[in-house]
Amino acid sequence: MGIVKFINGSNKKIQGLVRAIDYIVDENKTEIFILKNLNENDRQNMELNNTKGTWQYNLFTTVKENMEVSRSREEFIKNMNALGYKVKWDSSHKYITFTTPDGHMRRNNKLYPVEAFTKDAMQRKFSINKSNFEKGIEFERNENESKNIPKLDKEMIFVEKLISEDKGNRAINYITRDDKTSAKLITGINCSPESALNEMMLTKKMFNKTEGRQFIHFVHSFHDHEDISPELAHEISLKLIAQEKFKGFEILAATHTDEDHLHTHFILNTVNSETGMKWQQSIKEVKELIKFSNRLCEEYGLKYSYSNKKKKSYTKLETIGERKAKEEGRSWKQELQLAAKSVLKYSTSKEEFIRNMNQLGYEVKWDSTDDRITFITSNGRPCRNTNLYPPKTFSKEAMEQRFSINKQFENSKQELQHEGKRKF
């Protein structure tokens, strides 16, 4: 429980108690504001902004999310337009006017807290986003840990961090940077490279699947001894995803040439543009993809880029988890933590959580007689939940609370969908 101060629509200083009901994970936090000294109109606007299913809530969350990822007023307006919202931002007017896809209009002084959505505040936020993008995000680890991680792994962690923070546009901007690749080495599958993010977001809106994991990032890399051109590396990587598994998914591929070893980054929209189904991939399917990568190496006469026990593993479809799982000690625990955190975000019960972890190759021992949970990796390494960071996130009580919140969200979503069908 904490005290917050901000300015309301009438420019009166007020105080409110803010209680966070979901701080178990970094993303998708839900906050309830209990405010005093608001007039009735302000109170109604505040309530509508925080009521799921209303156009006010959709506008509020869309503005908030795009503020987090935009680096300029122009980029913000472009991102809003791509989602169907019109933005009237004139220097001669004090307020910004938003128009929703269905014609509702609202000014920025009706978004709360008001001072966070003023023109000046939004411009400051854009400047911060631009600065952070240019400098890169510092990894939250000490120097000794950092220098033991290969550069490609650092890059993968960086992009994964952007995606986990719902900053898909920054991830796309990063993998398509001029100092890392060129236009001829950037390809959009089921989307245009120039408007990939906008097309992906429109797909999510069309199928009403804007929650949960938004993008998947993986890398296809080649040994630095391999004598191939960037164009050929890009061609091979594109063949890797020319399979039925990827049919209908919007993917942006960019081959990087800034290191000795060529490698291709893929960012995939988790919602299929044809079926609306969410992306799913089993451990078995990952292994099959690795085998297919080896067949491509053989087909193109590559010598050093196989992935198997006899030859050193360099070229393969690598998720961020697989790369980190190769590292010793700290790294396999980070991989476990990443998997547990990801599964925790979407599971609605203990049973579902265990089932999802099993599908990722982890055994979970969760006994009612023991306060601790034990995770066992595919190679038999045990780890208790108390050894994952932060420990309070992975306590039994916190996880049960998360399951309950996920269940409530799922029920609310189903009710809204059912109500929509009845009206239709």
Side-chain angles (χ1 to χ4, degrees):
M1 191 76 75
I3 301 294
V4 294
K5 295 182 180 181
F6 51 89
I7 309 300
N8 70 1
S10 304
N11 291 326
K12 298 177 180 178
K13 290 186 177 180
I14 59 178
Q15 290 187 345
L17 294 175
V18 59
R19 179 169 62 88
I21 64 169
D22 178 19
Y23 271 87
I24 297 176
V25 296
D26 294 334
E27 305 88 22
N28 303 322
K29 292 197 282 285
T30 303
E31 298 176 342
I32 296 177
F33 293 90
I34 307 171
L35 303 164
K36 296 180 180 180
N37 302 326
L38 286 174
N39 62 45
E40 187 59 30
N41 187 46
D42 287 332
R43 191 179 298 279
Q44 289 178 0
N45 284 326
M46 172 74 77
E47 184 177 347
L48 288 169
N49 285 348
N50 290 282
T51 302
K52 276 198 168 186
T54 64
W55 67 263
Q56 292 92 338
Y57 171 84
N58 293 335
L59 171 63
F60 175 67
T61 54
T62 302
V63 171
K64 192 174 179 182
E65 289 170 0
N66 278 293
M67 276 179 61
E68 290 296 321
V69 300
S70 300
R71 291 170 293 165
S72 67
R73 182 184 75 168
E74 293 73 24
E75 184 178 358
F76 171 78
I77 294 174
K78 182 180 179 181
N79 290 339
M80 292 292 292
N81 291 162
L83 296 173
Y85 291 85
K86 295 179 181 178
V87 182
K88 188 177 182 181
W89 185 326
D90 297 330
S91 56
S92 59
H93 291 104
K94 180 179 179 181
Y95 300 112
I96 305 167
T97 301
F98 300 98
T99 304
T100 68
D102 50 0
H104 294 289
M105 299 177 69
R106 169 158 283 202
R107 286 179 172 176
N108 57 323
N109 66 328
K110 297 303 180 184
L111 304 178
Y112 299 89
V114 172
E115 78 276 17
F117 296 95
T118 64
K119 285 185 176 181
D120 289 341
M122 293 176 70
Q123 291 283 25
R124 285 195 297 270
K125 178 60 179 173
F126 300 153
S127 296
I128 292 171
N129 292 345
K130 182 178 180 181
S131 176
N132 287 340
F133 175 76
E134 291 172 348
K135 292 186 297 186
I137 296 177
E138 294 182 1
F139 299 113
E140 297 177 357
R141 55 178 62 84
N142 62 43
E143 292 181 2
N144 290 332
E145 289 176 329
S146 180
K147 63 186 180 183
N148 289 330
I149 304 176
K151 191 167 182 180
L152 177 59
D153 286 6
K154 288 184 181 180
E155 187 175 53
M156 292 184 69
I157 294 170
F158 174 72
V159 176
E160 179 69 16
K161 183 175 177 64
L162 293 178
I163 289 175
S164 68
E165 293 177 347
D166 290 335
K167 297 174 181 176
N169 71 325
R170 286 181 60 188
I172 287 175
N173 288 340
Y174 178 82
I175 71 167
T176 56
R177 272 170 45 174
D178 291 340
D179 60 336
K180 293 182 174 294
T181 186
S182 61
K184 63 182 179 181
L185 299 177
I186 300 174
T187 301
I189 294 87
N190 297 317
C191 62
S192 170
E194 295 78 15
S195 57
L197 177 68
N198 294 338
E199 293 179 49
M200 291 177 182
M201 297 309 295
L202 285 173
T203 295
K204 296 176 189 298
K205 282 281 186 180
M206 182 173 65
F207 289 102
N208 193 28
K209 291 187 177 180
T210 57
E211 301 289 332
R213 178 80 174 186
Q214 298 295 297
F215 305 98
I216 296 295
H217 170 243
F218 54 96
V219 171
H220 189 225
S221 62
F222 299 84
H223 195 290
D224 56 5
H225 290 173
E226 212 69 77
D227 185 19
I228 57 174
S229 66
E231 291 77 15
L232 183 57
H234 191 66
E235 177 184 323
I236 297 172
S237 292
L238 291 181
K239 280 200 172 182
L240 183 71
I241 58 172
Q243 299 185 76
E244 188 67 23
K245 172 70 179 176
F246 296 96
K247 182 181 179 183
F249 283 98
E250 296 159 320
I251 307 171
L252 184 65
T255 299
H256 284 194
T257 59
D258 58 329
E259 299 294 333
D260 292 336
H261 63 282
L262 299 170
H263 57 280
T264 302
H265 287 265
F266 298 95
I267 291 182
L268 174 147
N269 183 10
T270 53
V271 181
N272 192 290
S273 63
E274 296 178 0
T275 66
M277 300 295 289
K278 291 289 290 260
W279 170 262
Q280 292 184 352
Q281 188 174 45
S282 65
I283 299 298
K284 180 181 178 181
E285 288 173 324
V286 172
K287 291 179 178 178
E288 289 174 351
L289 211 52
I290 292 171
K291 290 180 180 178
F292 183 63
S293 175
N294 285 341
R295 289 200 297 272
L296 288 174
C297 289
E298 183 176 359
E299 178 184 331
Y300 280 86
L302 304 187
K303 298 179 180 179
Y304 307 100
S305 298
Y306 288 83
S307 175
N308 55 39
K309 295 181 180 179
K310 295 180 180 180
K311 298 183 180 181
K312 195 169 183 179
S313 172
Y314 278 90
T315 296
K316 59 187 290 186
L317 183 76
E318 297 176 289
T319 65
I320 184 67
E322 290 171 330
R323 289 291 292 182
K324 291 198 295 186
K326 289 181 182 178
E327 300 167 24
E328 297 179 356
R330 170 190 59 80
S331 298
W332 66 266
K333 286 184 181 178
Q334 276 195 344
E335 161 60 5
L336 168 59
Q337 179 174 298
L338 182 68
K341 182 179 177 182
S342 178
V343 171
L344 181 61
K345 286 195 297 184
Y346 312 120
S347 299
T348 58
S349 66
K350 178 183 76 172
E351 293 72 23
E352 185 180 356
F353 174 82
I354 293 174
R355 184 168 62 251
N356 290 337
M357 289 296 290
N358 290 162
Q359 290 178 354
L360 294 177
Y362 294 96
E363 182 183 348
V364 182
K365 292 185 176 181
W366 186 323
D367 299 326
S368 56
T369 57
D370 193 342
D371 291 336
R372 296 166 297 183
I373 304 168
T374 301
F375 299 93
I376 301 176
T377 67
S378 57
N379 59 0
R381 284 182 169 179
C383 180
R384 296 189 188 276
N385 59 324
T386 51
N387 292 327
L388 300 180
Y389 182 82
K392 62 180 181 180
T393 294
F394 297 100
S395 69
K396 278 189 172 182
E397 182 181 359
M399 293 175 71
E400 291 282 8
Q401 181 184 0
R402 178 64 188 185
F403 299 150
S404 177
I405 292 172
N406 290 346
K407 185 66 175 177
Q408 291 175 27
F409 285 165
E410 187 64 29
N411 289 340
S412 298
K413 190 184 300 183
Q414 291 177 0
E415 288 175 5
L416 286 171
Q417 292 174 347
H418 182 66
E419 183 179 343
K421 289 180 180 179
R422 283 191 305 175
K423 288 181 179 179
F424 181 78

